[in-house]
Amino acid sequence: MVNLCDLNKEPIINYPTFWDYKVIFDIHVHAGEIFEKILSQREFKYKHSNTSSNGKYQSFLLSVYVDSKQDRLDIFEKLKSEAKFVI
C-alpha cells in the first residue's frame, strides 16, 4: 500500500507561490490595516470568511506571495503577533 500523505515528511512546496493563511482577530480589529502594515510591499489579497456565533471574533482568508519557506514562516510569525490565531 502506498502512503500518499506521510506526516513524518515535510511537503514539497515549489517557491515562489501564493500561500494561504487563515487569520482570526477580535471583532473590533481592522484586519486590512494590519495586513497592510505587515505586508505593505507584497502582493496579497484577503477576504472576510466568518464571524463567530457570539460576535466576538472575525476570520479572514489571506493569500500572500511568498519567496521561500523562511519568508512564509516569517510572515506567519508577524501575523501571530497581531492576531488571536493564525492557521
Side-chain angles (χ1 to χ4, degrees):
M1 186 162 113
V2 176
N3 186 355
L4 297 178
C5 182
D6 186 346
L7 298 178
N8 295 319
K9 288 186 178 179
E10 190 168 320
I12 297 171
I13 302 169
N14 295 316
Y15 295 98
T17 189
F18 276 94
W19 191 260
D20 292 336
Y21 302 88
K22 180 78 140 194
V23 188
I24 301 168
F25 294 104
D26 287 323
I27 196 72
H28 68 277
V29 172
H30 297 284
E33 292 175 10
I34 291 174
F35 296 150
E36 188 65 39
K37 179 176 80 170
I38 293 172
L39 306 165
S40 63
Q41 299 302 314
R42 295 182 166 275
E43 189 175 347
F44 72 94
K45 59 184 175 184
Y46 69 95
K47 68 177 180 177
H48 182 267
S49 60
N50 200 11
T51 301
S52 64
S53 59
N54 62 5
K56 196 172 179 183
Y57 303 106
Q58 58 183 335
S59 63
F60 294 84
L61 182 60
L62 171 67
S63 186
V64 183
Y65 193 74
V66 295
D67 296 322
S68 65
K69 176 182 176 182
Q70 189 58 54
D71 190 29
R72 175 176 56 87
L73 296 175
D74 288 346
I75 292 169
F76 180 81
E77 289 301 319
K78 289 176 184 175
L79 290 169
K80 267 185 22 179
S81 73
E82 298 280 350
K84 274 288 191 193
F85 301 100
V86 181
I87 303 170

